[in-house]
């Protein structure tokens, strides 16, 4: 397929083949020179032919064009065309027609002046490159008259071009044939085909109990109860007995969990990370952004409703322009969706208002381009992108779509947004244009606000020329509708990035890593896809299903690939070949993230409040956490205790004061988009689980809950035995019965603790055991 073919050049350079030894390469060049009659200095009159398209043009693009292009080329020399080359630069003509080998271009190269040093490190042309250039100059530097060089036309070993794999049109690959007879769907065929090529195979399918827990946590972020585990493992066993081992034994559970309101809460959290969701402004005063929580609820509901992903994009980027003629309720929902553009930080007292406009613009461009395209477009604010085909003008083309909005400094009470009158509704954190005819946005030299150059009109990015389009303002429009046109371009099924990026995000959150392991960078400096054909097949499925994310979830969850055990009998051998599991020969064991861990403890303690949506809970902040805060008096008043037992996704997110327990377990900073949370193992995590008030309170509640369950189920004359209580704790926390050795160890722990405590020894011994359970690996990890 085309995308796979374009991986070859870079893969050969850096990943799978071994580069030729430099001394050998040099020897071959010298031998080639001698055979051709060209001496070491290249002074022989005999000319070695150099082909312009295959040799000279790639050399000039790779080594020269970065500086010698545009309206202000370095040294006044443009190498984009024959005319520019012939004209020369500030130092004169490049070519000496009478004595070609004395030409200025060769002198500068031989002296090591060109290319110039990079950060003090010389960057001389290699012997082979010098030979190519010398041969071409000896021929009189023939240049096809109509040929214009473009820095972005081809991928080289230093930057990506428009032929980079991610920018190629999406073509649905053919599903490969694989030898295994246990494949559940095409995903497995792609993975199995890759494994077979390396002499590898899948791990065995995980046991039913493991899959039930994995499904619940994966789709809802909540662990299953003991009763749910028993119900679904029994159901699985019955289906397998009736229809064979390959029966689709968990399809009903998958559908039940996809229909659960908790599905949107789990998967909405991932999107909120990606769009830098927070409910305060940041900076010193960190003012609260009222009604930001409505955007959070909109995301959760959209995911629960399986809103088509193209619509999901359009509403967030241009909901106000989509809904101009809609009914009031529909318009309000669409305006809430534009809260996406309001989620960034906001400084009410910048050093320079004029300069700060461009900082805000950069934030919006970065959030939009990274979320939907996985491209670092903001890197082109000051100069052409160093690694991807994104010229500086492209940054301003995208930025121009947001320029008509409330970017400039205004009334501080508006927190950088439109007023309710401008938005058309009250009590919504949204976005809209302030005028249909805004002042022009100028490209800034070096990104400096006081060095404006030419005005730039709103348009798409140019990495796919066949899709390039400008965004003109329609006549009689009340807004520019630039964002609406941008949103349609982003959501186009012909956009080569949008579907690829989104299915990669879905894969990542199911497996722990994406098929592209740099989820917010599909450019040259990002990671190459492990299975490019599978990525394109999934992207095609997304579009052909009507942009249904739930369709992709079903495919992944029903695959043998996802249902593998974390243990492969050939692990020792396979680890030598693929220690990071890039070929998916096992399932990755994963620790609960901060939100899922907090929720799991509340589920175990029986305290969790599963109400949907509404204003955020404000958690109690310990005095120790306030020590470094300069404005302690401005800390919020904590919500009532019963309100604080809601799911973590409904916690108030402050930029200046994040929950210590949550940050210990890698809850991300909200200043910038986060596509993938860190997963660390550090001492503060163990200390938090041992000493944090939240953990201690959940341990106490778990002990009380277990005792209550045993008391409710025992006969009046029976004593409450340690074993009955231990059984109850294990069923609640792990969804299973304790083993004999676990019963023994738990009993020994209780005996020891009863001796240690002098006050309320019985109660505190049980609380201690429950805390041990909550900090155990089995509770913290999902196999």
């Amino acid at each position: 397929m085309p995308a796979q073919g374009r991986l070859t050049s870079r893969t050969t350079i850096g990943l799978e083949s071994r580069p030729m030894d430099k001394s050998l390469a040099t020897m071959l060049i010298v031998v080639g020179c001698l055979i051709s009659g060209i001496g070491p200095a290249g002074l022989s009159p005999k000319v070695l032919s150099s082909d312009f398209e295959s040799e000279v043009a790639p050399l000039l693009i790779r080594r020269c064009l970065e500086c010698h292009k545009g309206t202000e080329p370095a040294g006044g020399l443009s190498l984009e065309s024959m005319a520019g080359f012939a004209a020369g630069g500030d130092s004169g003509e490049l070519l000496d027609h009478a004595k070609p080998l004395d030409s200025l271009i060769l002198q500068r190269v031989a002296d090591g002046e060109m290319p110039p040093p990079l950060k003090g490190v010389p960057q001389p042309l290699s012997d082979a490159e010098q030979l190519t250039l010398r041969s071409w100059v000896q021929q009189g530097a023939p240049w096809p008259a109509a040929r214009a060089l473009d820095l972005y036309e081809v991928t080289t070993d230093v930057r990506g071009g428009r032929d980079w794999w991610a920018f190629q049109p999406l073509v649905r690959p053919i599903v490969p044939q694989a030898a295994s007879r246990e494949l559940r769907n095409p995903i497995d065929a792609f993975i199995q085909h890759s494994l077979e090529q390396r002499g590898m195979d899948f791990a065995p399918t995980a046991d039913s109990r493991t899959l039930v827990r994995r499904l619940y946590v994966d789709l809802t972020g909540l662990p299953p109860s003991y009763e749910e585990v028993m119900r679904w493992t029994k159901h699985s066993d019955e289906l397998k007995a009736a229809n064979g081992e390959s029966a689709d034994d968990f399809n009903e559970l998958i559908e039940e969990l996809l229909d659960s309101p908790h599905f949107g809460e789990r998967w909405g959290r991932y999107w909120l990370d990606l769009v830098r969701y927070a409910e305060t402004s940041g900076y010193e005063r960190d003012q609260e952004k009222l009604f930001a929580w409505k955007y959070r609820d909109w995301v959760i509901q959209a995911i629960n409703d399986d809103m088509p992903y193209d619509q999901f994009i359009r509403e967030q980027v241009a909901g106000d322009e989509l809904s101009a003629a809609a009914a009031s309720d529909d318009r309000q929902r669409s305006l809430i969706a534009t809260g996406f553009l309001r989620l960034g930080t906001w400084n009410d007292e910048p050093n320079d208002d004029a300069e700060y406009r461009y900082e805000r613009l950069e934030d919006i461009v970065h959030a939009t381009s990274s979320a939907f395209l996985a491209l670092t477009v903001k890197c082109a604010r000051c100069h052409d992108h160093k690694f991807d085909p994104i010229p500086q003008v492209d940054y301003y083309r995208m930025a121009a779509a947001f320029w008509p909005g409330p970017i400039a400094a205004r009334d501080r009470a508006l927190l950088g947004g439109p007023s309710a009158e401008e938005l058309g509704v009250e009590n919504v954190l949204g976005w809209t244009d302030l005028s249909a005819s805004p002042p022009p946005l100028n490209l800034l030299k070096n990104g400096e606000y006081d060095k404006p150059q030419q005005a730039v009109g709103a348009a798409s990015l140019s990495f796919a020329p066949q899709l390039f389009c400008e965004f003109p303002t329609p006549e009689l429009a009340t807004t520019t509708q630039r964002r609406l046109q941008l949103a349609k371009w982003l959501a186009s099924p012909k956009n080569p990035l949008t579907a690829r990026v989104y299915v990669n995000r879905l894969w990542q959150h199911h497996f722990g890593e994406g098929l592209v392991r740099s989820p917010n960078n599909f450019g040259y400096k990002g990671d190459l896809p492990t299975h490019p054909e599978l990525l394109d097949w999934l992207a095609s499925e997304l579009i052909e299903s009507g942009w249904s994310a739930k369709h992709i979830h079903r495919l992944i969850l029903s695959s043998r690939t996802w249902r593998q055990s974390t243990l492969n009998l050939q692990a020792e051998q396979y680890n030598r070949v693929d220690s990071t599991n890039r070929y998916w020969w096992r399932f990755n064991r994963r620790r609960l993230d901060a939100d899922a861990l907090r929720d799991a403890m509340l589920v175990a303690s029986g305290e969790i409040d599963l109400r949907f949506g509404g204003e955020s809970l404000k958690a109690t902040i310990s005095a120790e956490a306030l020590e470094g805060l300069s404005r302690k008096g401005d800390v919020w008043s904590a919500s009532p205790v019963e309100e604080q037992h809601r799911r973590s996704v409904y916690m108030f997110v402050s930029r200046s004061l994040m929950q210590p327990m949550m940050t210990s377990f890698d809850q991300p900073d909200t200043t910038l988009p986060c596509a993938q949370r860190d997963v660390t193992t550090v001492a503060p995590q163990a200390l938090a689980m041992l000493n944090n008030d939240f953990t201690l309170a959940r341990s106490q509640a778990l002990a009380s809950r277990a005792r209550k369950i045993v008391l409710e189920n025992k006969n009046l004359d029976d004593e409450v035995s340690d074993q009955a209580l231990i059984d109850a704790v294990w069923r609640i926390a792990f969804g299973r019965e304790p083993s004999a050795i676990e019963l023994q160890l738990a009993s020994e722990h209780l005996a020891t603790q009863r001796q240690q405590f002098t006050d309320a020894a019985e109660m505190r011994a049980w609380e201690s055991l429950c805390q041990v359970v909550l900090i155990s690996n089995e509770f913290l990890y999902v196999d």
Side-chain angles (χ1 to χ4, degrees):
M1 69 179 250
Q4 173 66 22
R6 288 178 172 85
L7 288 175
T8 305
S9 61
R10 188 182 170 199
T11 301
T12 302
I13 290 162
L15 292 178
E16 292 190 355
S17 70
R18 297 180 180 274
M20 183 183 295
D21 181 82
K22 289 185 178 179
S23 60
L24 176 59
T26 303
M27 182 182 72
L28 291 175
I29 292 167
V30 172
V31 170
C33 292
L34 294 174
I35 292 173
S36 304
I38 300 175
L43 298 177
S44 169
K46 187 171 182 179
V47 177
L48 178 66
S49 176
S50 287
D51 181 76
F52 185 84
E53 284 300 333
S54 65
E55 299 179 57
V56 179
L59 171 60
L60 295 176
I61 290 170
R62 179 183 179 276
R63 301 288 266 154
C64 309
L65 208 59
E66 189 82 46
C67 299
H68 296 288
K69 65 177 179 59
T71 57
E72 297 182 6
L77 171 64
S78 172
L79 294 178
E80 293 176 290
S81 66
M82 178 175 66
F85 179 84
D90 297 341
S91 300
E93 294 185 6
L94 297 183
L95 187 63
D96 185 332
H97 292 279
K99 298 180 179 180
L101 294 178
D102 291 340
S103 295
L104 180 62
I105 186 172
L106 296 183
Q107 292 175 19
R108 290 295 177 87
V109 168
D111 294 342
E113 296 179 21
M114 290 294 152
L118 180 63
K119 297 181 179 180
V121 178
Q123 305 291 314
L125 295 186
S126 68
D127 291 342
E129 289 172 325
Q130 291 192 47
L131 179 60
T132 294
L133 189 63
R134 191 178 297 120
S135 302
W136 178 60
V137 168
Q138 279 188 285
Q139 298 171 60
W143 189 312
R147 179 66 161 100
L149 298 185
D150 182 349
L151 180 65
Y152 309 118
E153 64 184 69
V154 294
T155 296
T156 69
D157 61 342
V158 295
R159 64 152 48 250
R162 287 190 293 269
D163 63 344
W164 183 242
W165 71 269
F167 306 141
Q168 302 315 298
L170 186 61
V171 178
R172 186 184 183 89
I174 297 173
V175 178
Q177 297 295 315
S180 175
R181 56 184 181 276
E182 297 182 31
L183 304 185
R184 290 177 171 271
N185 65 31
I187 289 175
D188 298 327
F190 285 104
I191 299 296
Q192 178 70 58
H193 181 69
S194 177
L195 290 172
E196 286 175 355
Q197 290 179 322
R198 295 164 177 83
M200 303 167 77
D201 199 0
F202 287 115
T205 299
D207 63 80
S208 295
R209 179 185 165 274
T210 296
L211 289 176
V212 171
R213 173 170 162 78
R214 191 187 293 177
L215 277 167
Y216 269 86
V217 174
D218 214 358
L219 289 179
T220 70
L222 300 171
S225 67
Y226 174 77
E227 291 73 22
E228 288 164 334
V229 172
M230 291 299 102
R231 170 192 167 200
W232 287 107
T233 52
K234 179 182 177 183
H235 179 71
S236 171
D237 292 342
E238 290 173 348
L239 276 179
K240 286 180 179 178
N243 302 297
E245 284 295 317
S246 62
D248 289 326
D249 44 338
F250 289 114
N251 281 3
E252 291 180 47
L253 176 57
I254 291 169
E255 292 303 322
E256 181 177 303
L257 296 177
L258 287 173
D259 289 339
S260 166
H262 306 312
F263 170 71
E265 293 170 334
R266 175 60 162 171
W267 285 81
R269 178 67 264 176
Y270 296 136
W271 187 259
L272 296 176
D273 282 358
L274 185 61
V275 298
R276 82 267 191 244
Y277 173 79
E279 297 179 65
T280 63
S281 300
Y283 295 96
E284 183 180 2
R285 275 177 279 279
D286 200 28
Q287 303 96 321
E288 181 175 351
K289 292 188 175 184
L290 297 174
F291 311 113
W293 57 267
K294 291 186 177 182
Y295 171 81
R296 176 206 64 208
D297 287 358
W298 178 88
V299 168
I300 293 171
Q301 190 61 56
I303 291 173
N304 275 334
D305 293 343
D306 199 20
M307 177 184 286
Y309 184 60
D310 58 342
Q311 181 183 346
F312 188 70
I313 295 171
R314 291 192 295 268
E315 294 208 13
Q316 291 180 83
V317 176
D320 59 311
E321 296 179 321
L322 274 173
S323 63
S328 59
D329 286 349
D330 291 338
R331 176 164 173 75
Q332 180 162 331
R333 281 192 292 270
S334 292
L335 287 169
I336 289 170
T338 64
F340 161 73
L341 302 174
R342 292 286 309 278
L343 295 176
T345 58
W346 182 75
N347 189 353
D348 70 332
E349 197 173 22
N351 293 331
D352 188 314
D353 286 336
E355 182 179 16
Y356 185 55
R357 285 182 298 171
Y358 297 97
E359 298 297 321
R360 295 197 65 210
L361 204 57
E362 181 181 315
D363 167 73
I364 294 174
V365 169
H366 179 51
T368 304
S369 62
S370 61
F372 303 119
L373 300 175
L375 287 181
T376 55
V377 175
K378 75 169 186 176
C379 295
R381 171 184 167 180
C382 305
H383 48 70
D384 294 345
H385 201 290
K386 293 296 184 184
F387 304 107
D388 296 327
I390 306 172
Q392 188 182 13
V393 69
D394 269 13
Y395 170 86
Y396 289 93
R397 285 167 174 160
M398 177 175 272
F402 306 106
W403 186 245
I407 295 290
R410 308 175 76 211
D411 186 338
R412 292 179 179 177
L414 297 176
L415 300 185
S419 66
E421 293 74 23
E422 291 164 336
L423 200 57
V425 296
E426 294 185 345
N427 302 334
V428 167
L429 187 81
W431 189 270
T432 194
D433 289 356
L434 302 184
S435 169
S437 54
L441 174 65
N442 296 89
L443 184 146
L444 304 180
K445 184 176 182 179
N446 299 323
E448 298 175 24
Y449 77 98
D450 56 350
K451 295 181 179 178
Q453 296 186 312
Q454 76 272 20
V456 178
S460 66
L461 302 181
S462 60
F463 61 76
Q466 70 277 13
L467 299 178
F468 179 79
C469 54
E470 296 179 339
F471 303 149
T473 299
E475 293 184 9
L476 305 178
T478 56
T479 64
T480 64
Q481 295 196 19
R482 295 174 183 176
R483 284 178 291 108
L484 180 56
Q485 294 172 81
L486 172 63
K488 289 179 177 178
W489 177 80
L490 290 170
S492 168
K494 294 183 179 180
N495 190 311
L497 281 170
T498 307
R500 284 181 173 127
V501 168
Y502 191 57
V503 296
N504 188 64
R505 297 196 192 285
L506 299 182
W507 184 280
Q508 172 197 324
H509 294 307
H510 280 299
F511 287 93
E513 294 283 1
L515 293 167
V516 177
R517 296 195 174 194
S518 53
N520 258 18
N521 190 354
F522 271 44
Y524 182 80
K525 282 295 185 179
D527 203 15
L528 294 172
T530 59
H531 298 72
E533 296 90 351
L534 174 56
L535 181 69
D536 282 8
W537 186 86
L538 287 170
S540 301
E541 278 288 311
L542 176 69
I543 294 171
E544 292 177 18
S545 69
W547 296 90
S548 168
K550 287 189 177 181
H551 174 66
I552 305 300
H553 287 293
R554 291 186 187 97
L555 283 169
I556 291 173
L557 296 170
S558 63
S559 70
R560 181 183 175 189
T561 306
W562 185 85
R563 297 188 185 189
Q564 290 181 94
S565 170
T566 56
L567 302 175
N568 191 311
L569 296 177
Q570 304 299 319
E572 184 176 352
Q573 174 188 342
Y574 292 175
N575 270 319
R576 288 195 289 268
V577 177
D578 179 26
S579 61
T580 57
N581 195 26
R582 292 177 66 87
Y583 302 123
W584 312 105
W585 48 270
R586 60 174 170 80
F587 193 80
N588 289 329
R589 194 176 197 220
R590 301 169 64 188
R591 197 198 68 208
L592 296 176
D593 59 36
D595 300 75
L597 176 57
R598 178 182 175 276
D599 292 350
M601 286 194 283
L602 286 169
V603 169
S605 67
E607 300 168 295
I608 195 163
D609 179 348
L610 294 175
R611 281 177 295 155
F612 183 91
E615 291 190 44
S616 300
L617 71 93
K618 294 180 177 177
T620 301
I621 300 292
S622 66
E624 292 83 359
L626 298 176
E627 280 302 314
L629 203 66
S630 61
R631 305 179 62 178
K632 297 181 179 64
D634 291 342
V635 176
W636 62 77
S637 298
S639 301
V641 174
E642 58 274 13
E643 289 286 326
Q644 296 190 41
H645 293 163
R646 300 190 67 201
R647 291 201 67 175
S648 302
V649 71
Y650 298 119
M651 291 177 70
F652 183 77
V653 182
S654 166
R655 286 194 158 99
S656 64
L657 187 59
M658 300 179 71
Q659 283 286 335
M661 172 93 177
M662 304 296 280
T663 56
S664 293
F665 283 92
D666 306 312
Q667 187 181 54
D669 179 20
T670 57
T671 304
L672 294 172
C674 175
Q676 186 172 25
R677 292 190 183 188
D678 293 332
V679 181
T680 62
T681 303
V682 294
Q685 294 165 352
L687 295 173
M689 295 299 284
L690 287 169
N691 302 310
N692 187 275
D693 288 341
F694 182 84
T695 307
L696 297 175
R698 304 294 76 75
S699 302
Q700 294 167 0
L702 173 56
S704 298
R705 182 187 179 194
R707 184 170 292 276
K708 181 179 179 182
I709 289 172
V710 172
L711 287 172
E712 288 174 349
N713 293 325
K714 81 176 189 72
N715 294 322
L716 290 176
D717 297 331
D718 291 341
E719 297 235 354
V720 177
S721 66
D722 283 355
Q723 180 172 341
L725 285 169
I726 293 169
D727 285 347
V729 170
W730 254 247
R731 288 184 177 189
I732 292 168
F734 301 139
R736 64 173 179 83
E737 306 283 353
S739 66
I741 187 63
E742 287 171 330
L743 275 172
Q744 177 186 335
L745 292 172
S747 299
E748 291 173 357
H749 178 86
L750 288 170
T752 301
Q753 295 300 91
R754 284 164 178 155
Q755 294 175 2
Q756 294 289 332
F757 294 117
T758 57
D759 179 38
E762 183 66 17
M763 179 188 69
R764 296 182 70 182
W766 278 103
E767 291 169 0
S768 173
L769 177 63
C770 289
Q771 185 177 10
V772 169
V773 166
L774 293 183
I775 68 177
S776 66
N777 275 357
E778 185 170 352
F779 192 82
L780 289 168
Y781 284 82
V782 179
D783 284 327

